[in-house]
Amino acid sequence: MSNSNTRFDIPQSEIPTQWYNIQADLPRPLPPVLHPGTKEPVGPDDLAPLFPMGLIMQEVSQDAYIDIPEEVREIYKLWRPTPLLRARRLEKALDTPAHIYYKYEGVSPSGSHKLNTATAQAYYNKQEGITGLTTETGAGQWGTALSQACSFFDMECVVYMVKISYQQKPYRRAIMETFGASVTASPSDTTQAGRAILERDADSTGSLGIAISEAVEAAVTSEGKYKYALGSVLNHVLMHQTIIGQECLKQMALADEYPDVIVAPIGGGSNFAGIALPFLRENLKNGRQTRLVGIEPAACPSLTRGKYAYDFGDTMGMTPLVKMYTLGHDFVPPPLHAGGLRYHGMASIICEMYNQDLMEAAAIPQMETFQAAITFARAEGIVPAPEAAHGVAGAIREALAAKESGEKRVILFNLCGHGHFDMTAYNAYFADELSDYEYPQAQIDAAMANLPQV
Amino acid sequence: MSNSNTRFDIPQSEIPTQWYNIQADLPRPLPPVLHPGTKEPVGPDDLAPLFPMGLIMQEVSQDAYIDIPEEVREIYKLWRPTPLLRARRLEKALDTPAHIYYKYEGVSPSGSHKLNTATAQAYYNKQEGITGLTTETGAGQWGTALSQACSFFDMECVVYMVKISYQQKPYRRAIMETFGASVTASPSDTTQAGRAILERDADSTGSLGIAISEAVEAAVTSEGKYKYALGSVLNHVLMHQTIIGQECLKQMALADEYPDVIVAPIGGGSNFAGIALPFLRENLKNGRQTRLVGIEPAACPSLTRGKYAYDFGDTMGMTPLVKMYTLGHDFVPPPLHAGGLRYHGMASIICEMYNQDLMEAAAIPQMETFQAAITFARAEGIVPAPEAAHGVAGAIREALAAKESGEKRVILFNLCGHGHFDMTAYNAYFADELSDYEYPQAQIDAAMANLPQV
């Protein structure tokens, strides 16, 4: 391979055979998850109504590496390894001495990194005789991925889609139905939770919190037929995504460079974790000093402006209590187009990384992310999803800082998905209908006054 | 590489350095293109108002190979080589002894093979000092590709988009605007042709024929600022696509197999030509006997039910006369969802291949193509564009024939693009709103009664 290559391909025989579990190497362990009633640590049995034991064991495992089942690797071969590209045209457009690399997860058939964990979750459920999975989706990336994964394993998929998205994103619904999923607008009359909401407000356009409640209820009342699947936040979900960073380690070696800094968006944390954790291991074990930078929306700044405290994972206060950087479980983020990043909290693993000074975080306003996405698209051809645009914007900040200081800097970012189903957001940007959101501290303080007592 | 691989990757250093020109090897040469007034063969100068001389020379070249400029190859590296995959899961789903391979051009940033020629066309225009390109788009694949190509070379792009598509496909418009194109609903008041239509019918929803007239007028009245670009049909366009088949030759060798049959959709012909022509050369020069099968919609059956005669390339009768299998230039195909295949004629190269028995053709009804697309999507993950679904349906017919006869058959097809911007069609399919179209022969005869006299 010559230096003029822009893509660094590894063969399918080099798809990683194990997932990497950061719990084995964190300097201090994760704080326990607490039962919302007893405030005692929850055990595997508490989670059994929702998840199969194979995933619960991964959730609490302290092993550094866990084998990827052969059947999962066979599915991964439909799109993996994903490409690592050097953004030479973007470097030129920015006139920067930095070398910018991006890992492109949008080549997955679902269009994002979500299929990495959806495939694994469907597999472990299938192994334990579960015939279908329930879940919620907002922007639609996760619902699409789980629909495909269930189709691969001949399982049913029941998706509760936030009603406003269901109405505004008929293409998302269509692709899930193409894979045989049943898609229901939430709130619906198919669950008690949905009916209760509709009784109070027949015109409710729904929320992710409500859709979660419906999906969880549909699983626990199915008499063992269905279980529930979550697309981010949990330890096992982040672990499944480490296949991304492991591939990057090999591909950066092909490019004969090593990243000085890694950038990725953070909403629940799985995308950032996927690319960063294998490099964090190199920092911890092999003396590397790569900076790891998570980018969150300025309008939903959990790490940069939240509080490290025990809180509920959902809006309704039904889940176990998790210690995390939170804006308060009843914090309502604005109608940001990066729907996948509108989460009040953050994965426990990411929170401990931040707490233990193993990573940095930055908050970027919406308009800057769209400007960055368009600069990137015109240089490299790919239109990023609004969530992915946060990673692009973070990488561009790093590249401009390198230009300012005149240093060569090797930047790697995770382009977690394309924006083909999000073009409404770009239309709104071009029509001057978008803006930034700035929170008065008092509003965040108010949302946090309602944190549960532990 | 082990036999269990599903993807056969070649490095960027193996991107072909030349396009292949079938004109050098056709047993009998192409019939001349005639001036619509004099009925004499047209020369390069007749085409100069519309195209740059670099492309006109390619149009008439008899050289077997033409170098791909370095600048074009650098752009190709953003997404090429594209993957060749073996559809092992589809084979299992069909329970066929056939081996099914597909070349996936949907990984291009524009989502289809069209970017291969758009990039080349933008380059040659830029070389001759042209500052922008005009074109028409219906379904939107071509408009998207040309918008991106113009953005790569810092050129303006003026797209006339059929008004009904402009209204129904806001995502398509958004992606073109993301790349800086100016998109105008056609008929518009920006051209004489458009104004003439609007005077007769203020509510006209437009047609590809009208949009072509507007784009051509915008180019020829621009005083040399703009030229016009066409996404299929012409010899140089088909030649640019041969990069697809050349890559396949190397990738099939990696898979240690050789195709018995190659299948691809045919509308104007560039997608089929792209994968088939390098293999046709192997048939003609090296004793191979691969069957080459073009799949057209049963609702627009140019090759299988048309007449081989001189006809206009456009609906309005303004272009030179080309000898082709045609349904008559005023044949109006039904509102088929595979908009890219709704063309009354066919590329001259494809027509001579068919006339000289160098290829086969089959017509497949719309419903069968959607059923095939869904079978493919559930097995392999990728949702095909409605045009690409014709190739899938043709490949499945071949695989089932192999099952019937119990023979191993190596099938290769071109999956020319994804359907992310065409999910309306899938929604219509699931809502039982689609049907097949069957033409009474009398209707085709009537359309052909109007062929120009030569």
Side-chain angles (χ1 to χ4, degrees):
Chain A
M1 293 223 180
S2 92
N3 250 343
S4 75
N5 279 359
T6 58
R7 197 173 73 191
F8 303 92
D9 294 329
I10 51 173
Q12 291 202 307
S13 53
E14 301 230 15
I15 293 175
T17 56
Q18 299 184 307
W19 292 300
Y20 170 58
N21 180 15
I22 189 68
Q23 290 191 71
D25 294 324
L26 271 183
R28 296 193 299 274
L30 299 178
V33 173
L34 305 182
H35 190 284
T38 65
K39 310 277 163 84
E40 293 297 315
V42 301
D45 288 348
D46 294 310
L47 299 170
L50 287 182
F51 305 110
M53 206 44 73
L55 292 176
I56 293 171
M57 289 296 108
Q58 291 183 358
E59 187 68 12
V60 298
S61 170
Q62 302 296 311
D63 297 340
Y65 289 95
I66 291 181
D67 287 346
I68 304 175
E70 189 57 33
E71 293 89 330
V72 173
R73 294 185 76 236
E74 283 303 311
I75 302 280
Y76 281 172
K77 284 184 182 173
L78 293 175
W79 73 97
R80 304 209 71 89
T82 59
L84 176 80
L85 293 110
R86 179 161 166 203
R88 291 181 190 273
R89 292 175 48 86
L90 179 64
E91 291 168 14
K92 253 182 230 158
L94 299 174
D95 188 25
T96 175
H99 291 192
I100 308 175
Y101 292 84
Y102 62 100
K103 178 74 166 170
Y104 185 36
E105 288 291 307
V107 297
S108 107
S110 82
S112 81
H113 66 295
K114 296 282 186 188
L115 195 53
N116 297 325
T117 183
T119 302
Q121 292 188 45
Y123 169 80
Y124 286 105
N125 276 282
K126 178 86 176 183
Q127 285 297 102
E128 298 184 24
I130 307 304
T131 60
L133 290 172
T134 71
T135 199
E136 70 289 336
T137 203
Q141 295 274 27
W142 170 243
T144 303
L146 196 68
S147 300
Q148 295 196 347
C150 285
S151 158
F152 293 151
F153 289 103
D154 278 324
M155 298 172 76
E156 292 175 57
C157 187
V158 179
V159 180
Y160 289 89
M161 186 171 188
V162 177
K163 192 178 280 174
I164 184 86
S165 299
Y166 183 91
Q167 290 163 343
Q168 288 178 346
K169 296 193 161 190
Y171 281 27
R172 272 289 178 203
R173 181 159 42 92
I175 197 166
M176 289 186 269
E177 287 174 353
T178 300
F179 288 91
S182 119
V183 184
T184 303
S186 167
S188 76
D189 61 6
T190 66
T191 65
Q192 279 198 334
R195 286 190 295 271
I197 300 284
L198 288 173
E199 258 171 45
R200 272 182 289 162
D201 176 10
D203 298 326
S204 166
T205 54
S207 74
L208 212 48
I210 296 167
I212 292 176
S213 302
E214 291 206 275
V216 166
E217 181 184 329
V220 297
T221 60
S222 70
E223 297 178 348
K225 200 174 143 200
Y226 298 149
K227 290 204 184 277
Y228 169 72
L230 192 63
S232 188
V233 177
L234 299 178
N235 301 336
H236 67 271
V237 179
L238 273 59
M239 185 187 74
H240 296 153
Q241 296 294 356
T242 59
I243 192 161
I244 300 172
Q246 291 184 73
E247 286 181 3
C248 281
L249 274 167
K250 298 181 185 190
Q251 290 168 304
M252 290 299 305
L254 263 187
D256 207 16
E257 300 217 78
Y258 196 88
D260 297 308
V261 56
I262 291 176
V263 177
I266 35 174
S270 76
N271 159 13
F272 174 79
I275 195 164
L277 293 182
F279 288 91
L280 175 56
R281 181 180 186 280
E282 296 301 309
N283 285 357
L284 293 170
K285 297 289 209 184
N286 295 322
R288 294 286 193 176
Q289 297 189 304
T290 300
R291 292 170 48 226
L292 308 173
V293 185
I295 310 291
E296 57 188 11
C300 194
S302 318
L303 283 186
T304 52
R305 296 179 69 190
K307 187 172 162 182
Y308 198 35
Y310 273 96
D311 197 3
F312 295 107
D314 69 331
T315 309
M316 325 285 271
M318 293 167 65
T319 69
L321 293 169
V322 181
K323 190 170 183 192
M324 56 183 175
Y325 287 88
T326 177
L327 295 164
H329 60 275
D330 50 10
F331 177 85
V332 179
L336 201 62
H337 274 283
L341 306 182
R342 294 178 67 234
Y343 184 57
H344 68 275
M346 183 63 63
S348 183
I349 284 173
I350 304 291
C351 293
E352 263 314 299
M353 282 172 66
Y354 193 58
N355 186 47
Q356 296 182 34
D357 286 329
L358 303 174
M359 66 172 286
E360 307 166 27
I364 296 189
Q366 174 162 272
M367 297 299 278
E368 183 179 338
T369 66
F370 276 95
Q371 284 148 10
I374 290 162
T375 299
F376 179 82
R378 291 188 182 171
E380 300 292 322
I382 301 165
V383 179
E387 293 82 2
H390 287 71
V392 177
I396 288 181
R397 280 192 180 184
E398 290 288 336
L400 294 178
K403 180 181 177 179
E404 187 75 19
S405 63
E407 78 193 285
K408 186 192 152 191
R409 187 181 298 192
V410 179
I411 301 164
L412 168 63
F413 74 94
N414 196 16
L415 190 68
C416 54
H418 61 63
H420 298 172
F421 295 96
D422 307 290
M423 296 309 297
T424 306
Y426 284 87
N427 268 342
Y429 177 82
F430 289 122
D432 264 334
E433 292 164 8
L434 296 192
S435 61
D436 289 335
Y437 301 92
E438 194 60 54
Y439 280 106
Q441 187 61 37
Q443 189 177 338
I444 293 182
D445 291 345
M448 282 197 276
N450 207 12
L451 291 180
Q453 298 300 314
V454 175
Chain B
M1 291 222 182
S2 94
N3 251 344
S4 76
N5 279 357
T6 57
R7 196 171 75 191
F8 302 91
D9 294 329
I10 51 174
Q12 292 204 306
S13 54
E14 301 231 15
I15 294 175
T17 57
Q18 299 183 309
W19 292 300
Y20 170 58
N21 180 16
I22 189 68
Q23 290 191 70
D25 294 323
L26 271 183
R28 296 192 301 274
L30 298 177
V33 173
L34 305 182
H35 190 283
T38 65
K39 311 276 163 86
E40 293 297 316
V42 300
D45 288 348
D46 294 310
L47 299 171
L50 288 182
F51 304 109
M53 207 42 76
L55 292 176
I56 293 171
M57 289 297 107
Q58 292 182 356
E59 188 68 13
V60 298
S61 170
Q62 301 297 311
D63 297 338
Y65 288 95
I66 292 180
D67 287 344
I68 304 175
E70 189 55 33
E71 293 90 330
V72 173
R73 294 186 76 237
E74 283 303 310
I75 303 281
Y76 282 171
K77 285 184 182 172
L78 293 175
W79 74 96
R80 303 208 72 88
T82 59
L84 176 80
L85 294 111
R86 179 160 166 205
R88 290 180 191 273
R89 292 174 49 87
L90 179 63
E91 292 168 14
K92 251 183 231 158
L94 299 174
D95 187 25
T96 174
H99 291 191
I100 307 175
Y101 292 84
Y102 62 100
K103 178 74 164 170
Y104 185 36
E105 287 291 307
V107 296
S108 106
S110 82
S112 81
H113 66 296
K114 295 282 186 188
L115 196 54
N116 297 325
T117 184
T119 301
Q121 292 189 44
Y123 169 80
Y124 286 106
N125 276 284
K126 178 86 174 184
Q127 284 297 101
E128 298 184 24
I130 307 304
T131 59
L133 291 172
T134 71
T135 200
E136 72 288 335
T137 204
Q141 295 274 27
W142 170 242
T144 302
L146 196 68
S147 300
Q148 295 196 346
C150 285
S151 158
F152 292 150
F153 289 104
D154 278 323
M155 299 172 75
E156 292 174 58
C157 187
V158 179
V159 180
Y160 289 89
M161 186 171 188
V162 177
K163 191 178 281 174
I164 184 86
S165 298
Y166 183 91
Q167 290 162 343
Q168 289 178 346
K169 296 194 162 190
Y171 281 27
R172 270 292 178 202
R173 180 158 42 89
I175 197 168
M176 290 187 269
E177 287 174 352
T178 300
F179 288 91
S182 118
V183 184
T184 304
S186 167
S188 77
D189 60 6
T190 66
T191 65
Q192 278 198 337
R195 286 190 296 270
I197 299 284
L198 289 173
E199 259 171 45
R200 271 181 290 163
D201 176 9
D203 297 325
S204 166
T205 53
S207 74
L208 212 49
I210 297 168
I212 292 176
S213 302
E214 290 207 274
V216 166
E217 183 184 326
V220 298
T221 59
S222 70
E223 297 178 347
K225 200 174 142 200
Y226 296 149
K227 291 206 185 277
Y228 169 73
L230 193 62
S232 187
V233 177
L234 300 177
N235 301 336
H236 67 270
V237 179
L238 272 60
M239 184 186 75
H240 297 154
Q241 297 294 356
T242 59
I243 192 160
I244 300 172
Q246 290 183 74
E247 286 181 3
C248 281
L249 273 166
K250 298 181 186 188
Q251 290 168 306
M252 290 299 304
L254 263 188
D256 206 18
E257 300 218 76
Y258 195 88
D260 296 309
V261 56
I262 291 176
V263 177
I266 35 174
S270 75
N271 158 13
F272 175 79
I275 195 164
L277 294 181
F279 288 90
L280 174 57
R281 180 178 186 281
E282 296 302 308
N283 284 357
L284 293 170
K285 297 289 209 184
N286 295 322
R288 293 285 194 177
Q289 296 188 305
T290 300
R291 291 168 50 224
L292 308 173
V293 185
I295 309 292
E296 56 187 13
C300 194
S302 317
L303 284 186
T304 51
R305 295 179 68 190
K307 184 171 165 181
Y308 198 34
Y310 272 97
D311 197 2
F312 295 107
D314 67 330
T315 310
M316 325 284 269
M318 292 166 66
T319 69
L321 293 167
V322 180
K323 191 171 183 190
M324 56 184 175
Y325 287 88
T326 177
L327 296 163
H329 60 275
D330 49 11
F331 177 85
V332 179
L336 199 63
H337 274 283
L341 306 182
R342 293 179 67 235
Y343 184 58
H344 68 276
M346 184 63 63
S348 183
I349 285 172
I350 303 292
C351 293
E352 262 315 299
M353 283 172 66
Y354 194 58
N355 186 46
Q356 296 181 34
D357 286 329
L358 303 173
M359 66 173 283
E360 306 166 28
I364 296 188
Q366 175 161 274
M367 296 299 278
E368 183 180 338
T369 67
F370 275 95
Q371 284 147 10
I374 290 162
T375 300
F376 179 81
R378 292 187 182 173
E380 300 292 323
I382 301 166
V383 179
E387 293 82 2
H390 287 72
V392 177
I396 289 180
R397 280 192 179 186
E398 291 288 336
L400 294 178
K403 179 180 177 180
E404 186 75 18
S405 63
E407 77 193 287
K408 185 192 151 190
R409 189 182 295 192
V410 179
I411 301 164
L412 168 63
F413 75 92
N414 197 16
L415 190 68
C416 54
H418 61 64
H420 298 172
F421 295 96
D422 307 290
M423 296 309 297
T424 306
Y426 284 86
N427 267 343
Y429 177 82
F430 289 121
D432 264 334
E433 291 164 8
L434 296 192
S435 61
D436 288 336
Y437 300 93
E438 196 58 53
Y439 279 107
Q441 187 61 40
Q443 190 178 338
I444 292 182
D445 291 345
M448 282 198 276
N450 206 13
L451 290 181
Q453 298 301 314
V454 174

